[in-house]
Amino acid sequence: MYLNNKSIFDLLSFHIVDENIVDETILERWVEQAMVNDDYSFETGLLGIAWYISFLIENNYLVGDPDEILADLDDLIYKLTLKEVLQESIHVEKHLNLITYYQQRIGNDSKDHIYNRFTHFECLKLLIARLNEVLLDPKSFDQKELPLIIDILLKYSYLAIYVTDESLLEKPFYSSIENILDRFILEHVFIENVFIAKLFLCVKQYDNRYWWGKFQKILQSNGSNETSLWSELYLHIGETDLKDVNLKHFMKYDMDSKTLFDFVTNTNVYGD
């Protein structure tokens, strides 16, 4: 990793938790090192730093036109996207990272760069189509694959509400949520607490009362006295509409920088 072994998740965490002022020289050095190392990854490379710059501009921590600042990186990431969606095998994490980038860039609404916005949407649609293949494949629901499935579902719950036309993902999203919830209830599936927390946020965010009732059964079957990220979130947020929850709710919990990133980029909680 670059810059004293830090990742883009660490940069975001430092910025949010410690309310650090953005050091533009760090951003410049990050881009330079990523270019030298031909690193296009999200965690340490150009994809992640491009997302972070876009995020900072949208939230008024940097000043500038993101379409102009990120023009060269947009072109590189567009080519990376086409290469990824044309692969025979689907790398779920890479697809999710690219979607995170495009949902952020779409959020940088610019009337002067309509073509860029169109391109971002088209890339987003291509990536969603490939992830739909994963959700519609019964083999994807093997025990070891459930964390990735839950990551997709949390992302879809955000996209359906805030970013894109729900029809692009509705069928695989609905069937997969039903599948996952029923398995947790009937089979007592064991999975890391962080993914239960993500499933909780997915159900809360989409605000489907039927799914919420099923999730409460999962809570009851796992014991309400258990101390964990998901149970703490449940007890703190409870029946509150997730639209009324902000980032301060999440800062009460000791979570790693990647988990914080997942919550910030898959829910509408960032802000005061």
Side-chain angles (χ1 to χ4, degrees):
M1 295 183 188
Y2 307 140
L3 303 176
N4 299 320
N5 295 321
K6 300 303 179 186
S7 69
I8 204 69
F9 312 127
D10 295 324
L11 281 186
L12 177 67
S13 181
F14 293 153
H15 175 67
I16 292 175
V17 176
D18 299 329
E19 299 182 347
N20 284 348
I21 297 174
V22 176
D23 186 343
E24 294 188 32
T25 60
I26 291 180
L27 304 181
E28 293 171 0
R29 287 169 55 203
W30 196 294
V31 172
E32 290 172 0
Q33 290 189 39
M35 292 290 286
V36 168
N37 289 280
D38 200 27
D39 184 350
Y40 296 93
S41 71
F42 202 103
E43 186 172 3
T44 60
L46 294 172
L47 179 59
I49 197 63
W51 169 84
Y52 189 50
I53 291 170
S54 176
F55 173 85
L56 292 173
I57 293 173
E58 181 184 15
N59 290 284
N60 301 314
Y61 293 106
L62 283 179
V63 177
D65 184 334
D67 288 301
E68 294 181 2
I69 294 172
L70 296 172
D72 291 339
L73 291 178
D74 273 341
D75 288 342
L76 288 173
I77 293 168
Y78 171 73
K79 294 173 183 176
L80 179 67
T81 301
L82 294 184
K83 180 180 178 180
E84 192 63 36
V85 298
L86 291 174
Q87 296 289 327
E88 182 176 353
S89 59
I90 303 173
H91 193 296
V92 171
E93 187 173 0
K94 287 183 179 179
H95 277 62
L96 288 172
N97 286 337
L98 285 163
I99 287 175
T100 297
Y101 177 72
Y102 286 116
Q103 76 183 41
Q104 176 57 52
R105 291 293 286 115
I106 290 169
N108 296 131
D109 191 10
S110 174
K111 296 180 181 179
D112 296 328
H113 300 275
I114 297 176
Y115 174 77
N116 286 354
R117 187 174 176 83
F118 172 79
T119 302
H120 298 329
F121 264 117
E122 290 304 304
C123 288
L124 184 67
K125 288 163 62 176
L126 290 173
L127 292 160
I128 289 173
R130 292 310 309 272
L131 288 184
N132 285 347
E133 294 178 34
V134 175
L135 293 183
L136 294 172
D137 182 357
K139 296 179 182 178
S140 298
F141 288 81
D142 292 342
Q143 175 74 27
K144 65 180 181 179
E145 302 297 334
L146 288 183
L148 286 177
I149 296 299
I150 291 174
D151 279 341
I152 296 174
L153 296 177
L154 177 58
K155 175 64 72 182
Y156 275 21
S157 72
Y158 179 84
L159 294 175
I161 296 174
Y162 298 108
V163 181
T164 192
D165 187 343
E166 187 177 357
S167 64
L168 294 174
L169 47 84
E170 185 175 29
K171 181 178 178 180
F173 178 53
Y174 271 59
S175 62
S176 297
I177 282 282
E178 295 282 349
N179 186 326
I180 290 284
L181 291 174
D182 287 342
R183 286 192 62 182
F184 272 100
I185 293 171
L186 299 175
E187 301 177 20
H188 302 288
V189 173
F190 174 79
I191 196 168
E192 292 180 54
N193 282 318
V194 66
F195 293 102
I196 299 292
K198 289 179 179 181
L199 184 60
F200 163 73
L201 292 174
C202 171
V203 171
K204 282 291 293 182
Q205 180 160 246
Y206 197 72
D207 196 25
N208 182 302
R209 302 306 297 175
Y210 178 64
W211 294 347
W212 178 237
K214 286 193 172 187
F215 188 87
Q216 288 179 310
K217 291 181 180 179
I218 296 173
L219 178 71
Q220 294 165 4
S221 66
N222 280 274
S224 59
N225 293 323
E226 179 184 358
T227 300
S228 63
L229 176 60
W230 71 269
S231 60
E232 290 294 329
L233 282 172
Y234 178 89
L235 292 172
H236 185 75
I237 297 175
E239 295 292 336
T240 304
D241 190 325
L242 198 58
K243 295 176 182 177
D244 297 325
V245 176
N246 62 41
L247 193 61
K248 292 178 181 178
H249 288 83
F250 294 89
M251 304 318 301
K252 298 176 181 291
Y253 314 111
D254 182 19
M255 64 179 77
D256 61 70
S257 60
K258 176 58 166 64
T259 301
L260 178 61
F261 166 83
D262 286 339
F263 287 1
V264 168
T265 57
N266 291 298
T267 65
N268 193 34
V269 300
Y270 188 77
D272 296 327

